[in-house]
Amino acid sequence: MKALITGASSGIGRDMARVLASKGYDLVLVARNKEELQKIEKELREINKINIETISMDLSIEENCKELHKKVQNVDILINNAGFGDCGNFTKTSLNKEINMINTNIVAYHILTKLYLIDMKTRGDGKILNVASIAGFMPGPLMSTYYATKAYIVRLSEGIREELNKENSKVQISILCPGPVKTNFNKVANVRFHMREANSMQVAKYAIKKLEQGKFYIIPGLDVKLAKIGAKLTPSNLTSKITYMIQKRKIGK
């Protein structure tokens, strides 16, 4: 069995690699940070007799995503995890950073999901896990672009799930929707959370467990599950006001 994980050099992606390695999966680990990829490769090789390939690649570049698919075939599990956020007033945040975010958080997911899904449907099996966020179920003032990218992943995956169901396909798609997780995300997004941050390894273990059970919505933590329900029941204008207050505290302004 082989799993391809993007954004595998840190955080949830790295911990999911550890979990899958412990289960005997061969791994293809993709990220931009070559040094960190080499570290996790060395760690996993020392404790597991599995095949590991690392690929240092910037998935915000469309052609790189297509090249990755050509290079890595016969994938049993695809985990789209690469991504980042940014925080601030929409008119003041960096346009270049936002375009890069859209390319990484949306375009790369879209391309890899499509190409590997075609392969899996032809073969008749396979699993895709798209790492979204609880942010995908609500508006996100002061992090508008990030929330919008995660909403895209939620809706794309929901639509694909129904298509697979109608076709009685054995291929599975799932979405991981955590709340705040203690990773390098905060530094990149220029935020500091004022609420409980989940442990990355615990989220990774939960995600793989539920993926293997065939769950579509994978939402770790009771508080995050309640947040999803609240977002569904609360009018969006009120959710926006609440989210704005939360985000304002994050950036300390």
Side-chain angles (χ1 to χ4, degrees):
M1 299 288 281
K2 180 165 69 176
L4 167 61
I5 307 174
T6 69
S9 63
S10 63
I12 299 173
R14 179 176 58 192
D15 284 334
M16 285 195 286
R18 288 169 171 151
V19 173
L20 288 172
S22 71
K23 291 176 173 288
Y25 279 83
D26 293 330
L27 299 174
V28 181
L29 308 179
V30 184
R32 284 181 290 186
N33 193 321
K34 184 176 181 180
E35 183 179 345
E36 291 301 318
L37 279 177
Q38 291 174 338
K39 287 181 181 178
I40 186 64
E41 179 185 12
K42 181 180 179 181
E43 173 194 325
L44 296 179
R45 285 193 186 281
E46 289 177 351
I47 60 176
N48 301 284
K49 294 181 180 180
I50 58 173
N51 295 315
I52 304 174
E53 180 182 1
T54 60
I55 301 174
S56 177
M57 179 178 283
D58 183 356
L59 293 178
S60 69
I61 300 172
E62 179 180 338
E63 289 307 313
N64 284 353
C65 297
K66 296 175 181 177
E67 182 62 30
L68 177 62
H69 173 256
K70 290 179 182 178
K71 184 174 183 178
V72 182
Q73 294 291 307
N74 300 316
V75 169
D76 299 288
I77 297 179
L78 166 65
I79 299 179
N80 281 313
N81 171 71
F84 66 94
D86 196 18
C87 195
N89 188 289
F90 183 72
T91 60
K92 297 179 180 179
T93 47
S94 166
L95 177 59
N96 288 338
K97 187 174 183 179
E98 287 168 340
I99 295 301
N100 188 261
M101 188 195 311
I102 290 168
N103 289 336
T104 304
N105 294 15
I106 292 180
V107 178
Y109 276 57
H110 189 110
I111 293 172
L112 294 177
T113 296
K114 191 178 192 71
L115 296 180
Y116 280 105
L117 183 60
I118 292 170
D119 295 343
M120 290 177 180
K121 286 178 66 177
T122 300
R123 196 173 66 235
D125 64 60
K127 299 178 187 293
I128 296 175
L129 176 61
N130 285 330
V131 179
S133 167
I134 192 64
F137 298 101
M138 60 190 75
L142 298 182
M143 288 188 77
S144 298
T145 304
Y146 174 74
Y147 274 57
T149 65
K150 293 306 178 181
Y152 183 94
I153 299 308
V154 169
R155 294 308 188 196
L156 177 69
S157 302
E158 288 174 334
I160 293 170
R161 175 187 59 164
E162 184 61 18
E163 291 178 6
L164 292 173
N165 287 341
K166 294 299 185 185
E167 296 167 353
N168 295 315
S169 175
K170 293 182 179 180
V171 179
Q172 174 191 329
I173 189 165
S174 302
I175 50 174
L176 173 60
C177 301
V181 180
K182 193 172 184 180
T183 65
N184 193 47
F185 177 91
N186 302 2
K187 182 178 179 181
V188 177
N190 299 314
V191 299
R192 48 190 177 86
F193 290 106
H194 293 266
M195 60 184 294
R196 180 187 67 84
E197 294 179 273
N199 176 273
S200 178
M201 177 54 79
Q202 291 178 352
V203 171
K205 288 179 177 178
Y206 183 85
I208 299 303
K209 176 183 176 181
K210 295 301 180 181
L211 179 68
E212 291 179 334
Q213 292 175 353
K215 300 294 184 182
F216 176 71
Y217 295 109
I218 303 176
I219 304 176
L222 178 60
D223 54 344
V224 186
K225 289 182 174 68
L226 292 174
K228 178 180 179 291
I229 294 171
K232 183 176 181 180
L233 298 177
T234 306
S236 60
N237 62 331
L238 180 56
T239 305
S240 292
K241 294 180 187 299
I242 295 170
T243 307
Y244 180 88
M245 290 187 290
I246 294 172
Q247 308 296 53
K248 190 175 182 180
R249 291 184 65 199
K250 288 180 186 179
I251 59 178
K253 296 180 181 179

